[in-house]
Amino acid sequence: IINIFKYPTQTQNLPSIIIKEGKILAESLQKNNLSQGWLANKLKEMGIHDASQVLLASLAPDGSLYVDLKGN
């Protein structure tokens, strides 16, 4: 979406996908000022030891992390 009028867009309130089909989306982490270390710690807190176990992980605008595991 190109916003030439500098008005806020709805995309600012959408979650950011940070893992898709077991692959960490480094660019998305960077856009949210997060590191892979931060993500690894959060996953470990949830009992997930490897991103390959994750089907989809997204970061909500409020900072909440949503994780959907493969096979669930």
Side-chain angles (χ1 to χ4, degrees), residues 39-55:
L39 180 58
N41 286 336
K42 290 295 181 186
L43 293 175
K44 186 183 271 187
E45 289 174 10
M46 300 172 119
I48 303 166
H49 299 288
D50 192 76
S52 66
Q53 297 174 268
V54 177
L55 177 65

Side-chain angles (χ1 to χ4, degrees), residues 13-54:
N13 293 322
L14 295 176
S16 298
I17 296 173
I18 55 176
I19 300 176
K20 185 176 180 182
E21 297 180 9
K23 306 257 190 257
I24 296 172
L25 305 179
E27 185 176 313
S28 186
L29 282 175
Q30 289 175 341
K31 285 181 181 178
N32 287 285
N33 297 317
L34 300 171
S35 68
Q36 289 194 22
W38 173 87
L39 180 58
N41 286 336
K42 290 295 181 186
L43 293 175
K44 186 183 271 187
E45 289 174 10
M46 300 172 119
I48 303 166
H49 299 288
D50 192 76
S52 66
Q53 297 174 268
V54 177

